[in-house]
Amino acid sequence: MKNITTLIITLSLSTLLFSCQEKKVEEKTKRPNIIYIMSDDHAYQAISAYDTSLIHTPNIDRLAHEGMRFDHAYVSNSICSPSRAVTLTGKMSHFNSVKDNLDVFDSTQITYPKILQNAGYETAIVGKWHLKSQPTGFDYWEVLPDQGDYYQPDFRTPNGMINEKGYVTDIITDKAIAYLDKRKKNEEPFMLMVHHKAPHREWMVAMEHLQAFKDQKIKQPATLFDDYKGRGKAAQEAEMRISDHMGLTNDTKVEPEIRDAKGFKPFMGWYDFAYSKNLKRMTAEEKAKWEEVYGPINEDFKNSDLKGKELTAWKYQRYMEDYLGTLVSVDENVGRLLDYLDQTGLAENTIVVYTSDQGFYLGEHGWFDKRFMYEQSFRTPLMVRWPGHIKAGSVNKDLVQNIDYAPSFLEAAGVEIPTDMQGASLLPLMEQKKTDWRDALYYHYYEYPGIHGVKRHYGIKTKRYKLIHFYYDVDEWELYDLEKDPDEMQNVYTDPSYAEVKETLHQKLKDLRKQYGDSDQLTQEMLKADLKRLEELGLN
């Protein structure tokens, strides 16, 4: 009897142990949910996981502390619409239908949301779309029209346009959480894209954060007063200098009447329209709060006599107060979403990504905006959390790019990656497995002639060097030794001591262009088509 009892207990324990092991295997192999959070123009310098000198972002930092921070993440074309198209398709701009912000995304092509949807995922997007065509491949979508608005934003939906009351970053997060809440009992995995408008120009801050940086002296970058002597026409002629091209009205919030009385003229005609448009979207209560903060700023400017470098420094301070102010809301709302995942138990089997559609200049080289292949524009933040797969607090220093996101999500979901996707899955890097990874990145920017006057260019980057070719109305080559010149102040292309490096990089550039299907012939064909389009639109 005793032996029979012992046998029964042993069998019971064995069954229980096997059941537990089976459950663990099932949990580990269960397809993960995916939440892809992308802000707009969020510079890596403005995330404290990367740099603590400008802002503290504890909630975004959580993803770095609990997952992996990528220190060498880059884009393939530093401008809003093209970057979004690259992310969706895993293809470079010359293959995905969107080279610049005038192009319309071909929504009939294959994207990773469509592939996931066909594989049994529920797919959704809320927030900024900025691709002109209607979103496809999503079971649920509510997106901002074009750039969207910070206050009382409109949203495009399958049933038409709707208007929401409040601040856009809060509302996008509300919609994301509401979507997750409605599908609580759903068994199928989900992929949710949360696309924030902030911190895109004109940097309109939530009412509760209007004074977040008002009394703080923002650290100036060492290159704020760059004279561009070490570079060619491309850097010298770009129209995104804080000193000359940043608007006093729409950007730094000076009233048009005060600006005019001081003798300043707007660089662009639409600056005043943008300023008044943003003010008109405020409620009476919001306008009163706005005036409490910006009224004294306008009065101080009215009574000042700012010129030259003093004016540039003032505009930089005002720019950064508002830019960073919008990011306080982004960080808070990332925290809200992460807290929701924790509270509902979703965090355990959900990949959470935080990135931006590109980098941004925060006064470096005297600039705002992006577009260039220079570091602050080209590089983007990227943090990924995936419990059980990514070691908490890990840091990756490989060269990764936004063409890699789509194949990464597909592999994580156990779905076959299409052969025409040009990126590589980041999963081996996330799981810290040995892999034969790339040693160089390819970049190509097309939007010229266009706003900000950044000339067309393509190039490659290795860990140490960067080779760039500017073309169209110039034919200039630039070479930077990032180890000796991290600020990219001195072009060493004609320096004899870099002759061997230059030869190697030219060959590597040739090889990468062939690998990605780009060429001088294709570039010229696209250029002709673009110029014809600009002529038809009366923009050239």
Side-chain angles (χ1 to χ4, degrees):
M1 186 70 177
K2 184 178 179 183
N3 290 336
I4 293 174
T5 303
T6 303
L7 180 61
I8 291 171
I9 293 172
T10 302
L11 287 172
S12 298
L13 288 172
S14 298
T15 302
L16 180 62
L17 181 61
F18 178 78
S19 176
C20 290
Q21 288 175 338
E22 190 178 48
K23 187 177 180 182
K24 285 181 179 179
V25 169
E26 183 186 333
E27 287 296 324
K28 194 165 185 180
T29 58
K30 187 180 177 184
R31 294 191 295 175
N33 304 307
I34 301 166
I35 295 182
Y36 177 78
I37 309 170
M38 185 166 72
S39 52
D40 194 310
D41 293 343
H42 192 175
Y44 65 88
Q45 314 92 284
I47 296 177
S48 49
Y50 289 100
D51 187 338
T52 59
S53 63
L54 291 176
I55 190 173
H56 181 46
T57 52
N59 296 296
I60 296 172
D61 291 358
R62 273 180 61 186
L63 294 173
H65 300 325
E66 299 171 6
M68 177 174 282
R69 186 189 78 208
F70 288 82
D71 282 359
H72 294 287
Y74 293 85
V75 295
S76 57
N77 184 358
S78 181
I79 185 170
C80 298
S81 296
S83 179
R84 293 163 194 276
V86 168
T87 300
L88 284 166
T89 63
K91 299 177 185 177
M92 293 283 185
S93 297
H94 55 278
F95 281 146
N96 67 35
S97 77
V98 181
K99 307 179 310 301
D100 56 38
N101 280 344
L102 292 177
D103 285 330
V104 178
F105 182 66
D106 176 8
S107 59
T108 65
Q109 66 186 306
I110 298 298
T111 63
Y112 83 83
K114 287 182 181 178
I115 297 172
L116 289 177
Q117 190 181 49
N118 289 334
Y121 271 73
E122 187 174 291
T123 59
I125 179 172
V126 293
K128 192 164 182 177
W129 174 243
H130 201 225
L131 286 169
K132 293 184 171 64
S133 58
Q134 181 167 301
T136 56
F138 298 98
D139 298 294
Y140 165 76
W141 58 270
E142 290 193 22
V143 298
L144 300 170
D146 195 37
Q147 295 286 1
D149 291 289
Y150 276 102
Y151 307 122
Q152 282 62 250
D154 297 319
F155 283 83
R156 293 168 58 198
T157 76
N159 299 316
M161 199 80 76
I162 61 173
N163 178 260
E164 302 284 7
K165 304 303 179 187
Y167 187 68
V168 67
T169 309
D170 299 331
I171 294 168
I172 288 169
T173 307
D174 290 343
K175 289 180 179 294
I177 292 175
Y179 163 75
L180 293 174
D181 221 32
K182 284 179 182 176
R183 65 171 318 282
K184 263 183 182 176
K185 295 180 181 179
N186 290 13
E187 299 258 339
E188 69 270 20
F190 65 84
M191 189 285 296
L192 169 63
M193 304 173 84
V194 184
H195 284 191
H196 288 296
K197 171 182 172 59
H200 194 279
R201 194 183 187 190
E202 284 84 18
W203 317 301
M204 308 298 286
V205 185
M207 293 299 142
E208 64 268 28
H209 300 310
L210 286 177
Q211 301 194 57
F213 292 89
K214 189 171 180 289
D215 297 321
Q216 295 185 32
K217 182 66 177 174
I218 310 296
K219 179 184 175 183
Q220 294 180 357
T223 59
L224 179 61
F225 299 105
D226 192 348
D227 59 11
Y228 315 110
K229 284 182 179 177
R231 282 125 299 155
K233 288 184 178 180
Q236 295 164 11
E237 296 180 5
E239 296 176 347
M240 53 189 197
R241 291 190 297 277
I242 292 172
S243 58
D244 302 315
H245 308 118
M246 178 171 276
L248 280 170
T249 51
N250 60 319
D251 292 327
T252 62
K253 317 305 189 294
V254 172
E255 295 171 14
E257 296 79 9
I258 294 176
R259 178 205 60 204
D260 294 344
K262 301 285 287 183
F264 295 107
K265 294 182 179 179
F267 176 70
M268 297 284 283
W270 56 267
Y271 282 7
D272 288 3
F273 167 77
Y275 174 79
S276 61
K277 173 177 174 284
N278 286 321
L279 291 184
K280 286 176 182 176
R281 297 195 75 88
M282 296 181 193
T283 65
E285 184 182 357
E286 288 171 338
K287 188 70 189 302
K289 290 180 179 178
W290 169 276
E291 288 294 341
E292 285 180 16
V293 176
Y294 290 93
I297 290 173
N298 272 271
E299 193 63 26
D300 288 345
F301 184 80
K302 180 180 178 181
N303 297 326
S304 69
D305 187 27
L306 298 172
K307 297 174 182 177
K309 287 188 175 181
E310 285 188 350
L311 178 59
T312 300
W314 183 88
K315 290 172 76 175
Y316 167 76
Q317 174 71 22
R318 281 291 312 113
Y319 160 41
M320 292 305 294
E321 287 173 2
D322 290 346
Y323 178 92
L324 296 175
T326 67
L327 287 175
V328 176
S329 293
V330 174
D331 186 69
E332 284 183 348
N333 280 282
V334 168
R336 285 178 60 207
L337 187 52
L338 294 181
D339 288 347
Y340 177 87
L341 296 178
D342 288 343
Q343 292 159 9
T344 56
L346 284 171
E348 295 175 15
N349 192 40
T350 300
I351 299 171
V352 182
V353 177
Y354 185 86
T355 188
S356 175
D357 54 353
Q358 64 262 319
F360 211 70
Y361 292 107
L362 304 183
E364 296 89 1
H365 304 294
W367 290 331
F368 65 102
D369 207 69
K370 56 262 184 179
R371 300 165 195 268
F372 273 117
M373 196 182 169
Y374 302 132
E375 204 70 1
Q376 290 81 14
S377 163
F378 183 27
R379 183 180 165 191
T380 188
L382 177 63
M383 286 156 282
V384 185
R385 186 183 74 181
W386 188 7
H389 292 263
I390 296 177
K391 181 182 177 183
S394 53
V395 176
N396 179 273
K397 295 186 179 295
D398 291 295
L399 295 170
V400 306
Q401 206 162 19
N402 55 348
I403 54 170
D404 300 327
Y405 301 169
S408 301
F409 297 148
L410 295 179
E411 184 179 2
V415 180
E416 186 176 350
I417 301 168
T419 56
D420 61 347
M421 281 194 174
Q422 296 178 296
S425 171
L426 299 174
L427 261 65
L429 304 185
M430 293 178 189
E431 297 180 337
Q432 298 180 306
K433 296 177 180 177
K434 287 186 178 181
T435 183
D436 184 20
W437 197 252
R438 67 170 70 96
D439 62 358
L441 299 171
Y442 182 61
Y443 180 89
H444 200 151
Y445 173 81
Y446 300 87
E447 192 172 288
Y448 182 88
I451 187 171
H452 293 300
V454 174
K455 298 183 186 298
R456 294 177 181 237
H457 59 289
Y458 59 83
I460 64 163
K461 173 191 162 56
T462 65
K463 283 285 185 72
R464 178 168 177 175
Y465 300 105
K466 190 180 293 182
L467 178 68
I468 311 172
H469 180 218
F470 292 96
Y471 67 95
Y472 173 56
D473 60 345
V474 293
D475 182 11
E476 295 181 342
W477 288 89
E478 294 183 358
L479 170 62
Y480 296 96
D481 184 339
L482 301 173
E483 187 176 288
K484 294 182 178 180
D485 180 23
D487 291 329
E488 298 168 294
M489 299 291 283
Q490 189 60 50
N491 174 19
V492 295
Y493 188 79
T494 59
D495 187 332
S497 65
Y498 285 90
E500 188 176 338
V501 170
K502 184 168 69 174
E503 183 180 353
T504 301
L505 290 173
H506 268 287
Q507 184 58 50
K508 195 175 286 290
L509 174 60
K510 183 179 178 181
D511 293 342
L512 273 186
R513 296 194 85 195
K514 183 177 180 181
Q515 176 185 330
Y516 290 122
D518 203 0
S519 66
D520 288 338
Q521 180 180 347
L522 180 60
T523 296
Q524 288 304 312
E525 290 173 0
M526 295 178 117
L527 175 58
K528 287 179 183 177
D530 290 345
L531 293 177
K532 183 180 179 181
R533 178 189 61 185
L534 288 172
E535 189 176 342
E536 291 171 351
L537 294 172
L539 299 174
N540 188 19

